[in-house]
């Protein structure tokens, strides 16, 4: 019997689920090894019988808490899928504003129909076994994590800075181009895709363990950023992270 997996979503753009769907040939190989029993974006059938749950999105409403707890109770392994699920992601930007004002800006005169509370990652509500970081997740990393779990192995989640992958890609340092970057404190695993294509690292994969945040803030200030601009850079994706929020 194939292992059964479910893919679930909470508040988010669903870009990580689209990444899974865009695996194309690799997805067919995956379907040969597992049975997907719950994936709203791809199928109408539903089942609560699954061993592994991949969960995308941030928890932003009280009503989502019980649903997430139910998924946790049924799944032997729960994997946070993407930045929103793993670290809170861009949804946590609303936490720095008056939530009532945010609700009315988004929903206008229909605001009273929609509940909200401070955005939070999955791990703030239930235990999370593993996380695939990124906005969106890298295709290859999803496949590597899925393969490891099917083999009953611990997935290899990088815990070193994006700068390492940037060096391996032989990129010119973003700082040497007169730009600023969060690569020195951001978890690798994206193959430094943003700097490789001429952009700065925005920190979508969250922080490495024990990052030297204060030192990097000082580097950014030395490069001409104001305190507000430095905080804005860190809060883009990391507003729910300790040391930033």
């Amino acid at each position: 019997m194939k292992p059964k997996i479910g893919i679930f979503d909470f508040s988010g753009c669903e870009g990580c689920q689209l990444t899974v769907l865009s695996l194309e040939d690799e997805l067919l190989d995956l379907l040969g090894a597992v049975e997907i029993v719950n994936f709203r974006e791809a199928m109408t059938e539903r089942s609560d019988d699954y061993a592994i749950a991949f969960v995308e999105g941030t928890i932003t409403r009280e009503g989502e808490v019980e649903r997430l707890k139910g998924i946790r109770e049924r799944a032997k392994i729960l994997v946070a899928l993407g930045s929103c699920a793993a670290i809170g992601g861009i949804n946590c930007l609303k936490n720095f504003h008056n939530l009532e004002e945010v609700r009315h800006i988004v929903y206008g005169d229909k605001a009273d129909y929609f509940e909200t509370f401070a955005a939070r990652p999955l791990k703030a509500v239930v235990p999370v076994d593993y996380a695939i970081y990124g906005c969106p997740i890298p295709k290859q990393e999803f496949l590597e994590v899925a393969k490891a779990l099917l083999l009953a192995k611990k997935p290899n989640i990088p815990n070193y800075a994006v700068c390492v992958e940037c060096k391996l890609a032989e990129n010119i340092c973003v700082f040497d181009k007169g730009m600023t970057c969060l690569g020195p404190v951001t978890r690798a695993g994206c193959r430094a895709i943003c700097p490789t294509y001429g952009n700065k690292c925005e920190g979508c994969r969250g922080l490495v363990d024990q990052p030297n945040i204060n030192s990097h803030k000082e580097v950014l200030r030395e490069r001409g950023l104001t305190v507000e601009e430095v905080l804005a850079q860190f809060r883009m994706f990391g507003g729910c992270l300790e040391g930033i929020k």
Side-chain angles (χ1 to χ4, degrees):
M1 180 180 296
K2 297 178 182 177
K4 296 178 180 178
I5 70 172
I7 299 177
F8 303 91
D9 54 81
F10 287 85
S11 296
C13 70
E14 304 192 0
C16 293
Q17 292 180 84
L18 289 174
T19 299
V20 175
L21 286 174
S22 68
L23 286 169
E24 300 173 343
D25 291 344
E26 294 95 335
L27 183 59
L28 294 177
D29 292 338
L30 180 63
L31 291 174
V34 305
E35 180 181 359
I36 298 178
V37 299
N38 206 318
F39 192 175
R40 181 190 58 78
E41 197 159 283
M43 54 193 281
T44 55
E45 295 81 5
R46 300 280 191 278
S47 171
D48 287 333
D49 179 18
Y50 45 83
I52 304 172
F54 290 92
V55 183
E56 180 195 45
T58 310
I59 305 304
T60 62
R61 295 179 295 156
E62 188 69 40
E64 294 176 330
V65 171
E66 289 306 312
R67 177 172 169 246
L68 177 60
K69 287 181 177 177
I71 293 170
R72 174 70 274 188
E73 289 175 2
R74 289 185 285 274
K76 181 180 179 182
I77 299 172
L78 190 148
V79 182
L81 195 64
S83 294
C84 292
I87 60 174
I90 204 164
N91 289 327
C92 290
L93 283 173
K94 78 170 186 177
N95 297 355
F96 298 96
H97 303 275
N98 182 291
L99 294 184
E100 281 303 303
E101 290 182 4
V102 170
R103 193 159 61 108
H104 281 83
I105 290 172
V106 173
Y107 299 112
D109 61 1
K110 304 295 189 299
D112 290 342
Y113 293 103
F114 299 94
E115 59 169 329
T116 189
F117 66 12
R120 62 205 67 184
L122 304 187
K123 64 184 179 183
V125 180
V126 299
V128 171
D129 298 298
Y130 303 106
I132 304 174
Y133 300 90
C135 180
I137 57 168
K139 293 180 180 179
Q140 192 59 40
E141 190 171 24
F142 174 81
L143 291 171
E144 289 171 0
V145 170
K147 181 178 179 180
L149 296 178
L150 293 176
L151 295 173
K153 295 182 177 179
K154 181 180 179 181
N156 181 26
I157 308 296
N159 189 25
Y160 47 85
V162 169
C163 289
V164 175
E165 293 181 336
C166 217
K167 290 283 187 183
L168 290 172
E170 300 183 348
N171 292 331
I172 297 173
C173 180
V174 168
F175 284 95
D176 290 340
K177 295 180 178 179
M179 302 164 63
T180 58
C181 182
L182 295 185
V185 291
T186 298
R187 183 185 302 274
C190 57
R191 300 181 182 179
I193 187 170
C194 291
T196 297
Y197 286 95
N199 298 308
K200 62 181 181 180
C201 171
E202 299 278 8
C204 76
R205 292 180 58 85
L207 302 171
V208 294
D209 291 349
Q210 300 179 327
N212 194 336
I213 295 292
N214 290 334
S215 175
H216 196 58
K217 285 180 178 177
E218 187 58 34
V219 169
L220 294 177
R221 282 194 288 267
E222 289 173 356
R223 297 293 176 132
L225 271 64
T226 65
V227 172
E228 290 75 19
E229 289 171 335
V230 170
L231 288 174
Q233 288 214 3
F234 278 100
R235 287 174 176 174
M236 175 71 77
F237 288 97
C240 285
L241 293 172
E242 293 297 330
I244 294 178
K245 62 182 180 182

